Amino acid sequence: MKDLSNSPIGYLVQVEEGQSAFVPYDLPRQVVLSPALIHVLSQADLAVGTLAGVGETLPNPHLLIAPFLRREAVLSSKIEGTQASISDLFRFEASDKGGATGDVREVANYVRALEEGQRLLEELPMCVRLANRVHERLLEGVRGKDARPGEPRPRQVWIGAPGTPIHEARFIPPPARFVPELLADWERFVNEDFEMPSLVQCALMHYQLEAIHPYIDGNGRIGRLMIILLLCAKRVLLTPLLYLSAYFERNQEAYYDHLLDVSATGNWEPWLRFFLEGVNQEARDALIRSRKVRTLYEWQRHSLQDKRESSNALRLLERLFNNPYITAPAAVAFLGVTHPGAMRILERLVEAKTIEQVGDFWPRLFVDRELLEVLEA
């Protein structure tokens, strides 16, 4: 473990096997930003503001929210070693949800957890109670379901490769007895009104949650879920379109190194620069991707209108932009038509080359391949 004995933002306490755990101090309410960092912050603010404007002008924000959220779920889970693709997740959600691997179910839980968090923000502030509820949904019925979902941990944990003994840990978070008090300050930090840019506050909030490591399992995913929830709670984004897991996954070692370096040195600037550069990159990526999704939707809709397809065909097209996979039973449920009626519409969409049949699944499975390619790119 990196030497944390001289950290100015925390201290060490002895734990099992003679090892030392790091206990962070309360988060600072003021951080001095260098001119170089202010420049990076302004670029990130501009990118997020542009993305927020796109989200506010969408006639149907769900055209982007649903697919972008699922892309985040896949990439955030991938950081933790879960192996599932966006296509796997969409197929799972479009089918009867049977026969999926545990990895796919874990990713699907990430989607449910973020949706739960967004719903809870309508009645709760950002708080430990909200984080616990989101954590409970994240681990419901999957690996980690026995790790006290929704409850702060009662025992010591450490960070390292699976099976790593504590003396070989990369980082040892604070003992369990410190967690309630640390989470209480974390809750105050995300709700107090003080002069700190929201994106900087978000970066500090995420670091602190990772340093506390409040749960037995699922800490990394919860920390990343809290980023988008805080941005929504602060009204930085009204539409949840910005997700950083793609950036963290591309730069995974740097991500972990920066978090650890904050604990060791107390120097926030490298972590803040890394975080803000990620915000800038992913906001711009989301903007480009959103334009591609909107352009594809408009092109496919106009194509169907030119062929004088029915209003139900156009409704089903909109449904495809929530999930590019669909079955006849799903079309029946969505449109409120008979099975033969749903099949006729699906076959018309196949003839129009909007969708194509996938494999030999039963019930028959169809996909909007062009949309899937935009999301997977």
Side-chain angles (χ1 to χ4, degrees):
M1 189 169 82
K2 193 163 188 172
D3 183 16
L4 305 177
S5 58
N6 296 314
S7 173
I9 63 166
Y11 59 97
L12 298 177
V13 296
Q14 291 298 304
V15 292
E16 56 194 80
E17 296 184 24
Q19 300 301 307
S20 297
F22 181 75
V23 182
Y25 293 138
D26 290 352
L27 280 164
R29 270 51 174 180
Q30 189 175 26
V31 177
V32 177
L33 306 180
S34 70
L37 193 58
I38 290 172
H39 177 67
V40 176
L41 173 62
S42 67
Q43 290 181 314
D45 276 332
L46 178 61
V48 172
T50 304
L51 181 62
V54 168
E56 291 173 26
T57 58
L58 285 174
N60 181 359
H62 287 283
L63 291 178
L64 297 180
I65 293 173
F68 278 33
L69 190 162
R70 282 151 180 81
R71 183 170 179 266
E72 160 70 6
V74 167
L75 294 171
S76 183
S77 301
K78 185 177 179 182
I79 294 172
E80 307 302 324
T82 300
Q83 299 299 315
S85 67
I86 297 174
S87 184
D88 292 334
L89 175 60
F90 278 130
R91 281 202 304 268
F92 171 71
E93 293 185 327
S95 69
D96 61 4
K97 295 181 168 53
T101 66
D103 282 6
V104 176
R105 292 180 184 276
E106 286 182 23
V107 176
N109 269 20
Y110 191 99
V111 174
R112 304 285 87 76
L114 187 45
E115 290 174 338
E116 174 79 353
Q118 291 167 348
R119 185 190 67 77
L120 288 171
L121 282 179
E122 298 174 4
E123 57 189 66
L124 294 173
M126 286 287 292
C127 59
V128 175
R129 180 183 169 196
L130 180 146
N132 288 343
R133 294 270 294 276
V134 171
H135 182 259
E136 183 177 18
R137 182 58 61 90
L138 180 70
L139 298 187
E140 184 178 17
V142 297
R143 180 177 51 184
K145 65 180 182 295
D146 299 323
R148 302 173 73 99
E151 299 178 37
R153 57 183 168 87
R155 60 176 173 81
Q156 185 65 56
V157 297
W158 56 91
I159 300 171
T164 298
I166 191 170
H167 63 271
E168 295 179 7
R170 180 184 177 93
F171 179 74
I172 305 175
R177 67 182 184 276
F178 291 90
V179 169
E181 183 179 342
L182 288 167
L183 285 177
D185 177 70
W186 177 86
E187 183 175 296
R188 289 192 295 271
F189 178 81
V190 295
N191 287 287
E192 286 175 5
D193 185 17
F194 51 87
E195 293 184 357
M196 181 180 289
S198 293
L199 291 177
V200 173
Q201 185 181 12
C202 197
L204 267 63
M205 174 279 301
H206 179 70
Y207 159 80
Q208 191 78 343
L209 205 58
E210 296 305 302
I212 298 169
H213 236 61
Y215 304 106
I216 294 175
D217 193 13
N219 291 284
R221 286 167 289 169
I222 284 293
R224 291 184 287 277
L225 280 164
M226 291 299 114
I227 293 174
I228 185 60
L229 291 177
L230 182 59
L231 292 176
C232 290
K234 293 286 183 183
R235 312 296 284 175
V236 175
L237 288 172
L238 298 182
T239 307
L241 296 177
L242 176 65
Y243 301 99
L244 297 188
S245 289
Y247 175 74
F248 291 155
E249 196 272 329
R250 287 196 307 273
N251 302 280
Q252 191 167 343
E253 280 303 311
Y255 172 47
Y256 292 142
D257 287 344
H258 278 297
L259 290 171
L260 190 56
D261 283 345
V262 172
S263 300
T265 68
N267 184 1
W268 291 103
E269 179 146 343
W271 162 245
L272 289 173
R273 175 181 287 275
F274 176 79
F275 185 90
L276 293 172
E277 286 175 348
V279 169
N280 186 24
Q281 287 184 26
E282 293 310 308
R284 293 177 185 278
D285 176 84
L287 190 62
I288 293 169
R289 205 176 294 271
S290 66
R291 287 172 176 161
K292 289 181 178 179
V293 170
R294 290 177 67 184
T295 298
L296 178 62
Y297 172 72
E298 293 297 330
W299 183 86
Q300 291 185 339
R301 184 168 65 86
H302 288 314
S303 177
L304 293 177
Q305 288 174 329
D306 289 344
K307 294 179 172 61
R308 300 186 182 279
E309 296 294 348
S310 67
S311 60
N312 274 340
L314 295 174
R315 286 180 60 206
L316 204 57
L317 175 66
E318 192 164 305
R319 159 64 176 73
L320 286 165
F321 277 73
N322 279 272
N323 183 334
Y325 285 91
I326 195 165
T327 63
V332 169
F334 180 74
L335 297 174
V337 298
T338 64
H339 187 275
M343 281 305 305
R344 281 195 295 271
I345 295 169
L346 289 168
E347 287 165 358
R348 293 286 295 171
L349 291 177
V350 170
E351 291 175 12
K353 300 188 184 306
T354 303
I355 61 175
E356 62 185 61
Q357 186 173 338
V358 181
D360 297 320
F361 297 98
W362 187 259
R364 291 166 65 188
L365 186 63
F366 302 87
V367 64
D368 185 329
R369 184 71 64 187
E370 288 181 285
L371 173 58
L372 187 61
E373 288 173 356
V374 170
L375 298 174
E376 288 185 324

